[in-house]
Amino acid sequence: MKKMKQAEAVEPKRTRLSPDQRRQDFIRKATELFSEEGFDGGTRELARKLGVTQPLLYRYFPSKEELIREVYRTVYIDRWKDSWDDLLADRSRPIRVRLEEFYRDYTNTIFTREWMRIYLFSGLKGFDLNRWYVGMIQDRILARIVEEYRHEAGLPAQSPPAPAELELAWVLHSGIFYYGIRKYIYESPVLEDKERVIANALDVFLEGISRVFGTAVKVRAAYGRPTAGAVSR
Amino acid sequence: MKKMKQAEAVEPKRTRLSPDQRRQDFIRKATELFSEEGFDGGTRELARKLGVTQPLLYRYFPSKEELIREVYRTVYIDRWKDSWDDLLADRSRPIRVRLEEFYRDYTNTIFTREWMRIYLFSGLKGFDLNRWYVGMIQDRILARIVEEYRHEAGLPAQSPPAPAELELAWVLHSGIFYYGIRKYIYESPVLEDKERVIANALDVFLEGISRVFGTAVKVRAAYGRPTAGAVSR
DNA sequence: CTAGAATTTTATCATATGATAATTATAAGT
DNA sequence: ACTTATAATTATCATATGATAAAATTCTAG
């Protein structure tokens, strides 16, 4: 008796999916895997998570490297909202309100274990992606914040903003960002009321720069070049 | 003729070192290697850097895991300065001066590619070390900053500081810390004048909280527990 | 219902990894 | 100079990895 003819739902051994579907499944599960294990997560474990065999991966991606690239794309680029531009530039509302709404939405978007971990993993790998992302933040978020602040405070427009001003905006942004790292990477206890943390940070920042801007903040040095061999290894 | 008897300094094939010396060499080179490659850096490459063979490692460390622990110890614990306690608590000097000096020294200590990268690698590995370190920062640096600020501002002493106050100090601290990440991890261009960046951040922070402290900052929620399974995997 | 294209599997390779046992060479003590 | 303890080596194992080729199964068009 080789086979017990139990009245089981005869699930086919192979689940055959459309190339598009399968490809997306790979990317989705790879995102899960890589966010936990890093990019050294094995292709076999990935296949196991999908319920398929390992060589199948190579029908959809020429190499693991390519799969990683795709994971990047979906995690970063696809989650970036162009609407943030307009939100921050909407001068019909006070900047305080705009900033609060932006950071609420922004942190809701990126404060996940997946996003945070993959971001750091990729940063450590030295891929260009992080430099690109940092550039995006600086050009499309921080520069705009500085600009909008200057406008609301009645200061002369200055474009592009002075490096020292951008660095100040970085302090605010990083302060909020690192809250996510403490919570989702280190899993340290944090004050759970995120909105409150953001609100306080904004209060201090806006109150603070109103005293410092245009006076203490001088352009003391130009932006430097990348510190070492800039491109990935 | 098997050997050319050139008048070479006959360097012995094996360099025999004292156990202590060799052990320290392993740790030092491992720090270099792991900071670049992550903890998946191979034991063979490590041996190559030392000019010895790979199995030798296992005379000094029972496992690679143990070696990693030692690397942690030297990088973090050994670089922590107890003098920071006194520096921050020295009420004969204004807090602005103390903070500037502290952050100058602190960033000089940790703003290196090695320190920063190993810190993030270990954070992603989920080791307790980062939670421990974050606790150190909070208890011995940030709590003290809040305390000292309250004292200088003539506010009533409050011990321990309210969570929301600590979170505000975290924003400042993280803002400065992330400058290092941008520079040494992402290798993005930054405003090279670090002292200026710190000075501006402190100005904004101190000006800002003078408006916000004791009024807007209320204790709205208690510190939460770690978000997920807290211990390393 | 059958043929054929396409998806998925099985089998396998080459290489790299952490770790152990047995052997060899070095430096110190007498 | 000879012995001896031990630092360092060679040889090797078991396992895991990314990747490829060929065989097998599934779905669909006609």
Side-chain angles (χ1 to χ4, degrees):
Chain A
M1 254 196 193
K2 261 180 148 181
K3 281 188 180 180
M4 302 282 286
K5 282 187 200 165
Q6 300 269 354
E8 290 180 11
V10 209
E11 44 186 76
K13 306 172 181 173
R14 302 185 176 187
T15 322
R16 201 185 168 105
L17 295 182
S18 77
D20 225 55
Q21 180 69 44
R22 186 65 87 191
R23 190 183 155 83
Q24 287 196 341
D25 283 1
F26 264 116
I27 295 173
R28 185 148 27 82
K29 291 288 183 187
T31 305
E32 279 179 25
L33 177 68
F34 292 156
S35 73
E36 287 304 319
E37 310 285 336
F39 298 114
D40 298 316
T43 55
R44 280 171 180 80
E45 189 170 347
L46 172 57
R48 201 183 45 71
K49 281 167 73 89
L50 278 159
V52 299
T53 54
Q54 178 254 354
L56 186 58
L57 169 66
Y58 293 91
R59 267 195 83 83
Y60 294 92
F61 303 89
S63 70
K64 189 183 171 185
E65 191 74 16
E66 273 312 305
L67 172 61
I68 292 175
R69 299 268 176 217
E70 282 311 302
V71 168
Y72 284 152
R73 270 206 341 103
T74 61
V75 172
Y76 296 104
I77 300 169
D78 292 358
R79 294 192 198 181
W80 184 276
K81 297 183 188 172
D82 287 320
S83 61
W84 290 330
D85 290 325
D86 303 328
L87 195 169
L88 287 170
D90 174 15
R91 292 186 173 169
S92 71
R93 301 195 299 167
I95 190 154
R96 175 67 170 71
V97 174
R98 285 180 263 165
L99 282 178
E100 188 153 5
E101 189 172 327
F102 166 72
Y103 273 112
R104 185 166 46 72
D105 192 38
Y106 181 67
T107 54
N108 283 342
T109 304
I110 71 164
F111 279 8
T112 69
R113 192 173 160 85
E114 254 185 24
W115 196 102
M116 294 256 128
R117 289 179 65 89
I118 291 202
Y119 187 69
L120 289 192
F121 274 125
S122 103
L124 286 167
K125 280 280 182 194
F127 287 116
D128 289 331
L129 190 120
N130 292 66
R131 269 182 298 280
W132 168 84
Y133 193 85
V134 162
M136 287 278 281
I137 290 288
Q138 183 161 300
D139 298 342
R140 293 180 65 176
I141 307 296
L142 304 185
R144 187 157 270 126
I145 288 176
V146 169
E147 228 173 287
E148 294 302 310
Y149 176 82
R150 293 189 75 93
H151 177 264
E152 185 159 310
L155 294 166
Q158 193 181 48
S159 175
E165 288 177 339
L166 285 174
E167 286 294 342
L168 259 179
W170 267 116
V171 173
L172 165 70
H173 187 85
S174 310
I176 293 173
F177 184 79
Y178 206 73
Y179 173 90
I181 294 196
R182 282 163 54 219
K183 179 166 181 175
Y184 293 99
I185 306 275
Y186 306 148
E187 296 180 342
S188 291
V190 298
L191 178 60
E192 285 297 329
D193 189 349
K194 185 193 76 171
E195 314 298 319
R196 191 72 207 156
V197 172
I198 291 173
N200 284 339
L202 290 176
D203 282 338
V204 167
F205 177 71
L206 290 172
E207 280 294 335
I209 55 173
S210 73
R211 301 295 193 79
V212 177
F213 250 48
T215 58
V217 174
K218 295 271 167 48
V219 185
R220 295 263 298 242
Y223 266 67
R225 322 228 83 231
T227 36
V231 188
S232 54
R233 18 188 15 258
Chain B
M1 249 196 195
K2 260 178 144 182
K3 284 187 179 179
M4 302 281 286
K5 282 186 199 164
Q6 300 269 352
E8 289 178 11
V10 207
E11 44 186 79
K13 305 171 179 171
R14 302 183 178 187
T15 323
R16 201 183 167 107
L17 294 183
S18 78
D20 225 56
Q21 179 68 44
R22 186 65 85 190
R23 189 182 157 85
Q24 287 196 342
D25 283 1
F26 264 115
I27 296 174
R28 185 147 28 82
K29 291 288 182 186
T31 305
E32 280 179 25
L33 177 68
F34 292 156
S35 72
E36 288 304 318
E37 312 284 336
F39 298 115
D40 298 316
T43 55
R44 280 171 179 78
E45 188 168 350
L46 172 57
R48 202 183 45 71
K49 282 167 73 88
L50 278 158
V52 299
T53 54
Q54 179 255 354
L56 186 59
L57 168 65
Y58 294 91
R59 267 192 84 83
Y60 296 92
F61 303 89
S63 70
K64 189 184 172 183
E65 192 74 15
E66 272 312 304
L67 172 61
I68 291 174
R69 298 272 176 212
E70 282 310 302
V71 168
Y72 284 152
R73 270 206 341 106
T74 61
V75 172
Y76 296 104
I77 301 170
D78 292 0
R79 294 194 199 180
W80 184 277
K81 296 185 188 171
D82 286 320
S83 61
W84 290 330
D85 290 324
D86 302 328
L87 194 168
L88 288 170
D90 174 15
R91 291 186 173 168
S92 72
R93 300 196 299 168
I95 191 156
R96 175 66 169 73
V97 173
R98 285 179 263 163
L99 283 178
E100 188 152 3
E101 188 170 327
F102 166 71
Y103 274 111
R104 185 166 46 73
D105 192 36
Y106 182 67
T107 54
N108 283 342
T109 304
I110 71 164
F111 278 8
T112 69
R113 191 172 161 86
E114 255 185 24
W115 195 101
M116 294 256 125
R117 289 179 66 88
I118 291 202
Y119 188 70
L120 289 191
F121 274 124
S122 104
L124 287 166
K125 279 280 181 192
F127 286 115
D128 289 330
L129 189 121
N130 292 67
R131 271 183 297 280
W132 168 84
Y133 193 84
V134 162
M136 288 278 281
I137 291 288
Q138 182 161 300
D139 298 343
R140 292 180 65 175
I141 307 296
L142 304 185
R144 187 156 269 127
I145 288 176
V146 169
E147 225 173 288
E148 294 303 309
Y149 175 81
R150 292 189 75 94
H151 179 263
E152 186 159 309
L155 294 167
Q158 193 179 48
S159 173
E165 288 177 340
L166 284 174
E167 286 294 342
L168 260 180
W170 267 116
V171 173
L172 165 69
H173 187 84
S174 310
I176 293 172
F177 184 78
Y178 206 73
Y179 172 89
I181 293 196
R182 283 163 53 219
K183 179 165 180 177
Y184 292 101
I185 307 275
Y186 306 149
E187 296 181 340
S188 292
V190 297
L191 178 60
E192 285 297 329
D193 189 347
K194 185 193 75 170
E195 314 298 319
R196 191 70 207 158
V197 171
I198 291 173
N200 284 340
L202 290 176
D203 283 338
V204 168
F205 176 72
L206 290 173
E207 282 294 334
I209 56 173
S210 72
R211 301 294 193 82
V212 178
F213 248 48
T215 59
V217 175
K218 294 272 165 46
V219 184
R220 296 263 300 243
Y223 266 67
R225 324 228 84 231
T227 36
V231 187
S232 57
R233 16 186 18 255

